[in-house]
Amino acid sequence: MFTGLTRTVILYILIIAGVRLMGKRQVGELEPSELVLSLIIADLASVPMQDYGIPLLTGIVPILTLLSLTMILSVLTMKSVRFRAVLCGRPSIIVQNGAINQQEMDKTRLTVDELLEELRCKGYTDLSQIKYAILETNGQLSVLPYANQKPPTAQDMKLSVEEGGLPRVVVSDGRLMEHNLKSLGHDRPWLDKQLAQRGCRDLKTVFLMLVDEADAVYLAKKEP
């Protein structure tokens, strides 16, 4: 029992380390080589976990080899544009100036239904509004509309907008994040004043409180 637990913990830590090496990506954002790596590592780790008769090194050595190979490939893709194109592929322009590039659709095996579905997910139903639609190497579709189809910004409307900065968590589930409060330049009396203004007796009644650099406060009370 203890042997199985130990083997599982070691392999689990090793897999976590491998996932961390690939960066903070979701499954749909993985490059083909990264997706293959994650599948192989999962398969290699499952065998020593289930069969105690197989030496632990039988799973660890191939996993470490694959992780080392991944690091080497990552360095090569950073240094060489050609190698990056071979390993990861190149983005494909599916829509250009409102017209569908049928050759690229055939090349990437993207159907019309899939294209229209992706465009609807991005909020576009009219192809004439799209300047470019690019199928990225991770399978995601990037949509760039014409300039007159983009929402106006404050700069376009010549408006002066105050920067709020990054909101920070000051209270989370009734617990005070003192380091965040201090980094915003405030103290406990200031916090108590803000809570009183919003009808909160103490921290225990607060589910979430965010404060940005302009002192804008978002507060959500705990549900009874």
Side-chain angles (χ1 to χ4, degrees):
M1 181 67 179
F2 179 76
T3 302
L5 178 62
T6 304
R7 291 162 67 98
T8 301
V9 169
I10 292 174
L11 291 169
Y12 176 76
I13 294 174
L14 197 57
I15 294 173
I16 293 297
V19 173
R20 292 283 292 175
L21 286 175
M22 290 188 292
K24 298 180 179 180
R25 300 198 189 190
Q26 298 178 0
V27 174
E29 298 175 345
L30 294 177
E31 299 289 351
S33 60
E34 296 172 336
L35 179 60
V36 171
L37 173 67
S38 61
L39 294 175
I40 293 177
I41 287 180
D43 188 54
L44 288 173
S46 64
V47 176
M49 282 184 185
Q50 298 173 358
D51 191 348
Y52 298 161
I54 297 177
L56 189 58
L57 288 177
T58 304
I60 292 180
V61 172
I63 291 176
L64 290 178
T65 302
L66 288 172
L67 294 179
S68 300
L69 181 60
T70 300
M71 294 299 296
I72 295 173
L73 293 178
S74 298
V75 173
L76 290 176
T77 53
M78 291 177 61
K79 300 294 184 181
S80 174
V81 176
R82 291 184 178 180
F83 185 80
R84 187 187 315 155
V86 171
L87 185 65
C88 303
R90 295 181 183 274
S92 299
I93 300 178
I94 304 300
V95 178
Q96 184 173 2
N97 297 325
I100 298 177
N101 189 332
Q102 298 181 29
Q103 291 183 349
E104 284 297 320
M105 289 190 63
D106 291 339
K107 181 180 177 181
T108 57
R109 294 182 296 279
L110 182 69
T111 66
V112 173
D113 291 337
E114 291 172 337
L115 174 62
L116 295 178
E117 179 182 353
E118 289 293 331
L119 293 177
R120 288 195 297 270
C121 291
K122 301 291 184 180
Y124 296 95
T125 57
D126 189 353
L127 285 169
S128 63
Q129 298 178 352
I130 300 172
K131 178 71 173 177
Y132 292 106
I134 304 171
L135 186 64
E136 307 292 355
T137 57
N138 58 12
Q140 300 293 321
L141 187 70
S142 300
V143 181
L144 305 176
Y146 282 99
N148 59 5
Q149 298 295 331
K150 295 180 180 179
T153 63
Q155 183 178 3
D156 296 333
M157 302 177 69
K158 295 181 172 56
L159 297 177
S160 178
V161 181
E162 183 181 358
E163 291 287 347
L166 178 67
R168 304 193 184 187
V169 179
V170 174
V171 181
S172 176
D173 198 13
R175 297 188 299 272
L176 173 62
M177 305 298 174
E178 294 186 9
H179 59 286
N180 285 343
L181 183 63
K182 291 180 180 179
S183 65
L184 290 166
H186 298 305
D187 52 16
R188 186 58 186 268
W190 178 88
L191 176 61
D192 292 337
K193 181 180 178 181
Q194 298 297 321
L195 295 178
Q197 291 176 353
R198 291 162 176 80
C200 295
R201 299 184 306 275
D202 52 37
L203 293 177
K204 295 180 179 180
T205 61
V206 180
F207 179 72
L208 177 64
M209 181 177 179
L210 303 175
V211 182
D212 65 16
E213 296 172 5
D215 289 346
V217 177
Y218 170 85
L219 189 143
K221 297 181 181 180
K222 281 188 177 182
E223 296 180 355

